[in-house]
Amino acid sequence: MTIHARPILTGAVLAGAMAAAPALAQNWDMPTPYGDGIFHTQNIYQFAEEVGAATDGELSITVHSANSLFGHAEIKDAVRQGLVPIGEILLSRLANEDPIFGIDSIPFLAASYEDAEKLWEASRPAVEAKLAEEGLTVLYAVPWPGQSLYLRQEVTDPADMEGLSFRAYNVATERLAELLGATPTQVEEGDIPTAFSTGRVEAMITSPSTGANAQAWDFVSHYIDTQAWLPKNIVFVNTDMFEALPEDRQAAIMEAAAEAEARGWEMSMAETEEKIGELVEGGMEVSQPSEALSARLAEIGEIMTAEWLEEAGEDGQAVVDAYRAD
Ligand code: PCA
């Protein structure tokens, strides 16, 4: 109604009316790539609930999990274009746009939670700055548990992986497969069981969370606990849409995001052992990597670190230096 009246209102009256007008209740749709069985998604449901509670239901967030609203590859652009105000993706999926997004997927650069946290601290400003250029504001990031090998047979000699068709989920896993002499094939997380059952892939490296969620025991027999890196999911908002919110709603989101980040890291840590337990229960053989395999993976980590630094230049070197100095 005020829309029609606006032109005849004086500035002062208009300002008063706007200040007094209660902000309308809003709903935000939030696309995510992963399913409801994944802890990242469960964390997001809780985040949404907290935003709802903190705003007395004035800002509700509807989570659309498992690529149901937008596919993984479309989520960032959907948020950038304002088709949705908020979304989640695997950060390293953006590595082909800028190498900084892939820093958490280099084998053995940061393979423990402690190191992963340091790496996130060191790289967060650069990640935020890059996404800000696209009108996106970072809310939080949470790592997956360590990435480990899923195979159809015991592998002690790394040469045994040569020629395998190997599932990849970003450029780093593609490169890793190549360096192992395997053939990479990109497969979305939700398509893993089908990709194995149809023979498109026969090996992969991912977290115990994803392995257990896919019921990996149905199509592979061996889990080798390499825990080689901890790739992160990141949640971001469209900056314009965020800043258009009343301040108390912005604050509610920021507070819930900080809590979701802390809670997500805890959930991730707890998952590691729990989900390896599920793999054992499912009948998989769990082992530590052989010396030869560890040595080869360490070597690949060195190669990939050098390649990353080459690509990321001075800015990348500064982030790695900050991480290592910490
Ligand atoms: N799960 C996701 C990304 C990393 C992980 O542990 C996947 O396999 O696609």
Side-chain angles (χ1 to χ4, degrees):
M1 18 104 214
T2 46
I3 293 169
H4 303 292
R6 255 184 199 187
I8 56 162
L9 289 174
T10 67
V13 172
L14 181 60
M18 282 176 72
L24 295 172
Q26 285 166 287
N27 178 66
W28 274 17
D29 287 311
M30 177 170 187
T32 81
Y34 302 100
D36 292 344
I38 292 290
F39 75 96
H40 288 287
T41 313
Q42 291 156 7
N43 193 27
I44 285 171
Y45 279 115
Q46 200 166 333
F47 161 76
E49 227 176 272
E50 284 175 11
V51 171
T55 61
D56 291 324
E58 295 293 296
L59 178 58
S60 57
I61 294 179
T62 305
V63 181
H64 301 268
S65 60
N67 294 322
S68 58
L69 186 58
F70 289 102
H72 199 167
E74 303 159 346
I75 291 175
K76 192 200 79 177
D77 280 342
V79 179
R80 195 169 56 80
Q81 291 166 13
L83 301 176
V84 283
I86 185 169
E88 177 208 38
I89 59 165
L90 180 75
L91 177 59
S92 54
R93 291 269 303 218
L94 305 179
N96 51 1
E97 297 176 17
D98 192 286
I100 191 63
F101 299 133
I103 197 171
D104 66 13
S105 296
I106 302 167
F108 301 110
L109 180 65
S112 66
Y113 281 94
E114 205 188 327
D115 284 350
E117 200 178 338
K118 283 185 195 163
L119 187 66
W120 177 221
E121 265 167 36
S123 58
R124 184 171 186 151
V127 168
E128 287 183 339
K130 274 287 154 201
L131 290 174
E133 283 173 18
E134 300 193 63
L136 300 170
T137 299
V138 172
L139 292 189
Y140 70 88
V142 169
W144 292 84
Q147 304 293 291
S148 296
L149 287 164
Y150 293 73
L151 298 154
R152 288 192 162 152
Q153 74 283 340
E154 177 66 45
V155 166
T156 50
D157 180 352
D160 292 343
M161 280 190 276
E162 282 169 19
L164 289 183
S165 120
F166 197 94
R167 183 244 168 181
Y169 62 74
N170 61 10
V171 290
T173 44
E174 230 172 88
R175 183 68 183 131
L176 171 71
E178 275 168 17
L179 289 165
L180 285 168
T183 309
T185 302
Q186 291 284 343
V187 174
E188 269 297 322
E189 203 228 27
D191 299 331
I192 290 173
T194 312
F196 274 91
S197 67
T198 58
R200 263 181 81 209
V201 295
E202 51 194 339
M204 66 178 173
I205 187 158
T206 188
S207 58
S209 312
T210 290
N213 189 58
Q215 307 196 319
W217 47 87
D218 287 344
F219 46 82
V220 282
S221 50
H222 288 73
Y223 168 88
I224 305 184
D225 195 37
T226 52
Q227 301 204 23
W229 69 93
L230 293 86
K232 292 184 299 293
N233 280 4
I234 191 160
V235 172
F236 45 76
V237 289
N238 177 299
T239 304
D240 288 343
M241 294 170 89
F242 179 73
E243 287 176 353
L245 290 175
E247 264 172 32
D248 54 336
R249 293 185 196 174
Q250 292 185 30
I253 288 180
M254 283 304 176
E255 255 168 60
E259 273 169 35
E261 182 155 78
R263 183 174 59 237
W265 283 70
E266 292 294 327
M267 289 171 100
S268 182
M269 274 180 245
E271 285 255 324
T272 311
E273 287 312 307
E274 191 188 317
K275 296 292 169 176
I276 293 174
E278 285 184 26
L279 299 176
V280 172
E281 248 170 66
M284 289 187 71
E285 201 153 304
V286 169
S287 64
Q288 292 303 307
S290 69
E291 248 172 62
L293 181 57
S294 289
R296 180 62 190 143
L297 289 172
E299 207 172 76
I300 289 174
E302 297 290 322
I303 296 169
M304 288 178 64
T305 303
E307 287 176 350
W308 187 88
L309 284 168
E310 175 81 36
E311 198 194 341
E314 268 174 42
D315 293 352
Q317 186 67 58
V319 171
V320 171
D321 289 347
Y323 161 60
R324 288 188 167 146
D326 197 8

